[in-house]
């Protein structure tokens, strides 16, 4: 439940816990306990999430269904991505290719960085959580390294097919 409550706050684009805590009538520390999964919010708090933000209480409690009862009340999705993260991923692509002795064309670095970004989205609970993403970067780097090594070890594939 804590992960879903954090996800909800991020979806609502409320960065400051004080703002959300005030809106649902709890202290900042109580909200932090809920979001870490150390405590469970009572029915009154859940009702305020629903009343103020249109949140599906069943989703909060069980993870089933949609986040919002009324999708029109949900914040508009954004199509933006973290350009700094994409730059870090491009650096990983370049470094891994260099370390494995495989050349990569400059125009392919962005494509490969985008592939790593997609891998991160699938693996991370919240792609906006910088600590979580930073902890997953070694996993992404290792995944790329293994893929390149596998591609070069297959007879007849050549190094170029790895990218």
């Amino acid at each position: 439940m804590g992960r879903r409550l954090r996800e909800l706050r991020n979806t609502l684009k409320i960065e400051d816990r004080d703002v959300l805590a005030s809106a649902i009538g709890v202290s900042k520390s109580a909200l932090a306990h809920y979001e870490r999964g150390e405590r469970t919010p009572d029915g009154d708090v859940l009702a305020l999430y629903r009343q103020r933000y249109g949140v599906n209480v069943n989703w909060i409690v069980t993870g089933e269904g949609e986040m919002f009862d009324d999708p029109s009340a949900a914040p508009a999705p954004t199509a933006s991505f973290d350009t700094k993260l994409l730059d870090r991923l491009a650096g990983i692509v370049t470094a891994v290719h260099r370390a494995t002795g495989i050349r990569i064309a400059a125009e392919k670095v962005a494509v490969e960085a985008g592939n790593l970004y997609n891998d991160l989205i699938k693996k991370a609970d919240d792609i906006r959580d910088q600590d979580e993403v930073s902890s997953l970067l070694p996993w992404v780097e290792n995944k790329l390294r293994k893929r390149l090594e596998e591609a070069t070890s297959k007879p007849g594939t050549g190094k170029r097919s790895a990218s």
Side-chain angles (χ1 to χ4, degrees):
M1 186 183 304
R3 182 187 56 77
R4 288 187 295 279
L5 290 172
R6 287 189 311 274
E7 181 182 348
L8 173 62
R9 184 165 54 86
N10 287 326
T11 299
L12 294 170
K13 297 181 179 143
I14 301 174
E15 293 185 26
D16 190 351
R17 273 193 181 132
D18 282 330
V19 172
L20 181 58
S22 177
I24 60 172
V26 298
S27 69
K28 181 179 177 180
S29 64
L31 181 59
H33 287 292
Y34 300 153
E35 289 185 352
R36 288 191 302 259
E38 298 168 350
R39 294 186 191 153
T40 302
D42 62 24
D44 292 340
V45 172
L46 295 174
L48 282 169
Y49 272 108
R50 185 180 187 304
Q51 178 185 0
R52 298 203 192 280
Y53 301 106
V55 177
N56 177 352
V57 173
N58 187 51
W59 175 83
I60 292 175
V61 175
T62 67
E64 296 176 5
E66 299 296 320
M67 183 183 288
F68 295 94
D69 280 332
D70 178 5
S72 67
T78 60
S80 65
F81 56 86
D82 185 344
T83 55
K84 289 180 183 178
L85 175 56
L86 197 58
D87 189 49
R88 286 175 73 184
L89 293 170
I92 289 172
V93 169
T94 303
V96 169
H97 276 79
R98 187 178 306 122
T100 56
I102 299 173
R103 294 179 132 200
I104 184 168
E107 62 271 11
K108 295 290 185 180
V109 172
V111 172
E112 195 62 52
N115 290 335
L116 296 182
Y117 191 87
N118 289 335
D119 288 342
L120 273 175
I121 288 173
K122 292 174 192 170
K123 186 80 169 173
D125 288 330
D126 182 358
I127 195 70
R128 296 165 293 190
D129 183 336
Q130 292 182 9
D131 291 335
E132 180 180 13
V133 169
S134 290
S135 72
L136 289 171
L137 290 178
W139 171 80
V140 167
E141 181 176 342
N142 190 48
K143 186 174 180 174
L144 174 60
R145 186 179 315 279
K146 282 182 179 179
R147 187 166 49 80
L148 292 175
E149 289 170 355
E150 285 174 13
T152 58
S153 68
K154 292 179 184 175
T157 60
K159 291 181 179 180
R160 292 186 183 269
S161 63
S163 323

